[in-house]
Amino acid sequence: MGFYIVSDYTVFQRGVMPYISTILEGYPDLGPCPECYEVMGQLTGDLRVELADSPAKVWPDVFECEEYRCFIVSQRFVDAMRANNIRIEPGGRVEFEGPIVNGLSLDDAPDYHWLDGRERHQAGKMDFDASGYVDVRFCKVCGNRTDDWKSSRRQREGDPTPPFVFDYDASTGHDLFTTDLSPIVFFCTDRVLETVKKCKLTNLQFFPVEDPAGENRIVF
């Protein structure tokens, strides 16, 4: 079984694909954590969002969100996964605040959903040492992960970037999943890649976990 990191491909398709600039509702400001002082934020319920005003031509199957890099997918994406027996767990709907000024029409927009990578899609546990992270810690209050980034083998210039190494729990039934690395970094099995290819879903990139630089990325 092959594993990939999967995300949107919007940054390479400016002028074609739209992106979300602001989450207006559904991302409450909880302030800094009293323990680690990191901003405590997570999505909840349905989102109301605002699109950037940069030109766009196509409603994609996976959206980029600048404010919080969550995984937002179209109803077509959800239907394609379920039709191929791939478990998928939307956290809520995504509604766009009008008017849209980037050239697209809300009348043509499909339904969109964000995927809950914090609780409903977890299926892996990272081997942080093997993956090149140093001094990984989790806040006992908010759960935020920190590490010594300057000492990390993922950061040191001249060192080859280590692969992502994790234990995958197939018993969860998730082929599209997160790990304790982050609730917004999604991994997948080759079943997801093949479904995207077969169903001609758009605006996605995949690269093997052993190729963290993305030199062998696959784009749809």
Side-chain angles (χ1 to χ4, degrees):
M1 181 183 295
F3 293 101
Y4 303 85
I5 292 180
V6 55
S7 67
D8 69 89
Y9 195 61
T10 310
V11 69
F12 299 103
Q13 301 194 79
R14 291 292 190 236
V16 177
M17 298 296 179
Y19 63 96
I20 294 166
S21 60
T22 309
I23 301 175
L24 302 171
E25 291 180 5
Y27 183 43
D29 182 1
L30 302 177
C33 172
E35 178 70 19
C36 70
Y37 305 108
E38 291 293 324
V39 174
M40 297 188 298
Q42 63 185 71
L43 303 182
T44 178
D46 294 339
L47 307 183
R48 187 167 62 89
V49 304
E50 189 173 69
L51 294 185
D53 59 7
S54 61
K57 298 178 181 178
V58 179
W59 289 102
D61 288 310
V62 178
F63 244 103
E64 176 187 354
C65 181
E66 275 192 334
E67 183 166 356
Y68 182 82
R69 300 194 65 83
C70 49
F71 205 74
I72 295 175
V73 300
S74 68
Q75 185 64 51
R76 197 164 78 100
F77 184 101
V78 173
D79 292 343
M81 294 299 139
R82 289 176 174 170
N84 287 274
N85 297 314
I86 293 173
R87 184 179 175 186
I88 190 165
E89 301 283 351
R93 292 172 57 85
V94 179
E95 302 286 349
F96 300 104
E97 178 80 356
I100 304 296
V101 297
N102 61 8
L104 296 175
S105 170
L106 279 175
D107 293 337
D108 300 326
D111 291 336
Y112 285 96
H113 312 267
W114 64 273
L115 302 187
D116 185 358
R118 187 174 298 275
E119 295 181 358
R120 303 183 193 179
H121 269 271
Q122 279 210 357
K125 189 172 180 61
M126 293 293 297
D127 183 333
F128 287 106
D129 289 340
S131 299
Y133 293 90
V134 175
D135 195 22
V136 173
R137 301 182 183 185
F138 291 89
C139 176
K140 62 184 180 182
V141 174
C142 70
N144 179 63
R145 176 187 59 80
T146 58
D147 57 71
D148 183 352
W149 184 240
K150 290 184 178 179
S151 300
S152 169
R153 286 189 292 132
R154 309 197 72 82
Q155 176 72 6
R156 290 203 300 260
E157 187 174 350
D159 287 359
T161 304
F164 289 101
V165 181
F166 51 82
D167 292 324
Y168 170 62
D169 184 1
S171 68
T172 65
H174 281 304
D175 287 276
L176 179 63
F177 61 93
T178 58
T179 69
D180 52 351
L181 174 67
S182 170
I184 60 173
V185 177
F186 274 78
F187 297 86
C188 71
T189 69
D190 41 19
R191 292 187 65 226
V192 173
L193 188 151
E194 290 304 317
T195 298
V196 167
K197 181 178 180 180
K198 180 175 70 172
C199 297
K200 299 182 179 179
L201 302 179
T202 60
N203 201 39
L204 289 107
Q205 63 175 337
F206 299 79
F207 55 90
V209 294
E210 61 269 16
D211 173 33
E215 295 179 358
N216 297 302
R217 65 165 48 93
I218 303 167
V219 176
F220 297 94

